[in-house]
Amino acid sequence: MAYMSDVPANSVQALIDSPAPQESRLHMIWRNAFPFIAVGLIWEAVARAGVFPPKLFPTIETIAAAFWRLTMNGILLHHAFDTIWRLLAGFALAAIVGVAIGILMGRSRRAEDICLPLVSMLAPIPGIAWAPLFLLWFGLGNRPAILLVAFVSLFPIIFNTWTGVKAVKEIWVRSAQAMGADDRRLFVNVIVPGALPYILTGLRLGLAQAWRTLVGVEMLASVPWGLGWMIFGAREFLNTDVMLSGVFVIGVLGLALEKLVFQRLERFTVQRWGMMT
């Protein structure tokens, strides 16, 4: 039998420093799927217990049948496509303007004094409260929906970008200046990388605001297609299964944007730079 004293010191240190075994893929899939399975079981139990009328609280089988029917005839895909392009158009506009204003506020005291009170006053107002005004100003259709999405998602992007720029350590800036970095290199190599984790957080929050507002304004803007319009129209006929199919698609699209866009962007930027784990 080998005792600890018989093991070389370098081997002990190697065991201590060695990383823990990675989580198995099956366990990771189960851990991510468990909340959805639990919610599905609870939903199915409530639906079959007769607590609510079946028309108002359908079973998962009924919802899945409606989802399949709407997908096969192309209606659900058409609604989802129209909603996605309105979302991306408005959110792209908000991202460009919001990041630019946030960086300007973070680097200029005058811009901060001018913009911060306005942003602080307008940010708490719910996006749906602006919908009637945007409909009066820009009419019905896609234009008010896109502009309202851009407007309401603008504020969290500005706030977080401004916070990120202000959070860049002064020693980083002085070190870059001491090594001869001009304003352009200072901005590209120090300011933007240092503020990027905050900017990504602002984009996430802005996207969530955009989703909530867009689904609501599609119910009011008389757009011919869209998930919000579909949900609102299904409510008129008590088609709860159709409504829940639309809600499910919104959740899946939000999850896909998070996993395929934001997490990959983090992986290729701030995680690779060692700024976050």
Side-chain angles (χ1 to χ4, degrees), residues 1-9 12:
M1 179 181 296
Y3 294 91
M4 197 65 175
S5 58
D6 299 328
V7 180
V12 175

Side-chain angles (χ1 to χ4, degrees), residues 5 10 34 36-37 70 108 116 123 125 138 147 194 205 224 229 240 248 255 270 272:
S5 58
N10 56 354
F34 176 75
F36 299 99
I37 296 175
L70 293 170
S108 171
L116 187 58
I125 301 176
F138 304 106
L147 293 178
L205 296 175
W229 184 90
T240 312
F248 175 75
L255 182 62
V270 293
R272 177 173 293 182

Side-chain angles (χ1 to χ4, degrees), residues 215-230:
V215 172
V217 77
E218 281 183 343
M219 301 178 182
L220 304 174
S222 295
V223 293
W225 294 88
L227 293 173
W229 184 90
M230 185 187 77

Side-chain angles (χ1 to χ4, degrees), residues 146-224:
I146 294 173
L147 293 178
L148 184 58
V149 165
F151 182 74
V152 299
S153 56
L154 186 68
F155 300 112
I157 298 174
I158 292 176
F159 262 127
N160 283 271
T161 303
W162 166 68
T163 304
V165 174
K166 301 288 284 187
V168 174
K169 295 181 180 180
E170 188 65 24
I171 190 172
W172 295 353
V173 178
R174 292 183 180 180
S175 299
Q177 291 173 340
M179 289 186 288
D182 54 15
D183 290 340
R184 184 184 66 83
R185 291 183 177 179
L186 182 67
F187 175 78
V188 173
N189 297 324
V190 178
I191 302 299
V192 171
L196 192 56
Y198 294 86
I199 295 174
L200 291 177
T201 300
L203 292 174
R204 280 189 171 99
L205 296 175
L207 184 64
Q209 288 274 41
W211 266 121
R212 289 192 291 268
T213 302
L214 179 59
V215 172
V217 77
E218 281 183 343
M219 301 178 182
L220 304 174
S222 295
V223 293

Side-chain angles (χ1 to χ4, degrees), residues 230-239 243:
M230 185 187 77
I231 294 172
F232 185 77
R235 182 188 67 88
E236 298 292 332
F237 301 97
L238 292 180
N239 291 331
M243 296 171 60

Side-chain angles (χ1 to χ4, degrees), residues 41-132:
L41 292 175
I42 295 173
W43 180 282
E44 192 71 12
V46 174
R48 295 187 180 278
V51 179
F52 301 97
K55 188 71 174 176
L56 302 181
F57 206 97
T59 62
I60 295 179
E61 181 182 358
T62 304
I63 300 171
F67 178 83
W68 180 259
R69 184 179 68 254
L70 293 170
T71 302
M72 288 298 99
N73 58 27
I75 294 177
L76 190 58
L77 295 177
H78 195 165
H79 284 299
F81 177 79
D82 277 38
T83 295
I84 289 173
W85 87 260
R86 291 187 194 108
L87 177 77
L88 295 181
F91 182 68
L93 180 61
I96 295 171
V97 176
V99 171
I101 294 176
I103 292 175
L104 183 63
M105 289 172 57
R107 299 298 295 167
S108 171
R109 183 59 182 270
R110 179 175 297 180
E112 180 180 342
D113 293 339
I114 294 173
C115 297
L116 187 58
L118 293 174
V119 175
S120 300
M121 182 183 68
L122 296 176
I125 301 176
I128 200 66
W130 293 100

